[in-house]
């Protein structure tokens, strides 16, 4: 998968990540509104951490041309920004829980 785009990656790894995310979402839906918010943010931290690791390990390391490397660098920046925002909210939630 992706070979014609200048990157070799495992379709199974991507599919597994999506399936895991769907399972996580199913668990979140069952929560009441008070528990949903913090659990959602925790899931976002985990999911974005995994996506960042996948981008660094599977995609950037295996990129075979400059255009793909540049694009993945931009994508990595967005993932990292979202992860940072989620961690900030997660920290605020933990501070509120401690009070």
């Amino acid at each position: 998968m992706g070979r014609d785009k200048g990157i070799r990656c495992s379709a199974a790894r991507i599919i597994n990540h999506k399936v895991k995310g769907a399972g996580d979402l199913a668990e979140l839906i069952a929560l009441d509104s008070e528990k949903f918010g913090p659990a959602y943010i925790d899931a976002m931290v985990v999911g974005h951490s995994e996506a960042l690791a996948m981008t660094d390990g599977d995609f950037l390391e295996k990129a075979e041309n400059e255009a793909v490397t540049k694009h993945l660098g931009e994508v990595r920046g967005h993932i990292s920004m979202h992860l940072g925002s989620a961690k900030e909210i997660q920290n605020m939630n933990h501070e509120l829980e401690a009070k």
Side-chain angles (χ1 to χ4, degrees):
M1 178 177 178
R3 187 172 178 178
D4 60 336
K5 302 295 183 196
I7 186 169
R8 293 180 186 172
C9 59
S10 167
R13 178 119 191 245
I14 295 169
I15 292 167
N16 288 341
H17 185 72
K18 288 184 176 188
V19 168
K20 181 185 176 297
D24 293 345
L25 180 59
E27 290 178 16
L28 290 173
I29 290 171
L31 297 176
D32 64 38
S33 60
E34 186 175 316
K35 293 180 181 178
F36 177 84
Y40 176 81
I41 292 299
D42 290 345
M44 290 300 100
V45 169
V46 170
H48 282 79
S49 296
E50 291 170 351
L52 196 58
M54 194 182 324
T55 300
D56 289 343
D58 282 353
F59 303 146
L60 276 168
E61 287 182 6
K62 297 175 184 173
E64 297 176 346
N65 70 54
E66 188 176 327
V68 170
T69 300
K70 181 181 177 188
H71 175 71
L72 289 171
E74 293 170 1
V75 169
R76 188 194 187 287
H78 290 290
I79 295 169
S80 183
M81 181 185 65
H82 287 219
L83 176 59
S85 297
K87 283 183 174 181
E88 286 179 24
I89 296 168
Q90 186 181 51
N91 288 334
M92 287 188 283
N93 285 341
H94 291 161
E95 289 174 10
L96 288 172
E97 289 173 2
K99 290 182 180 184

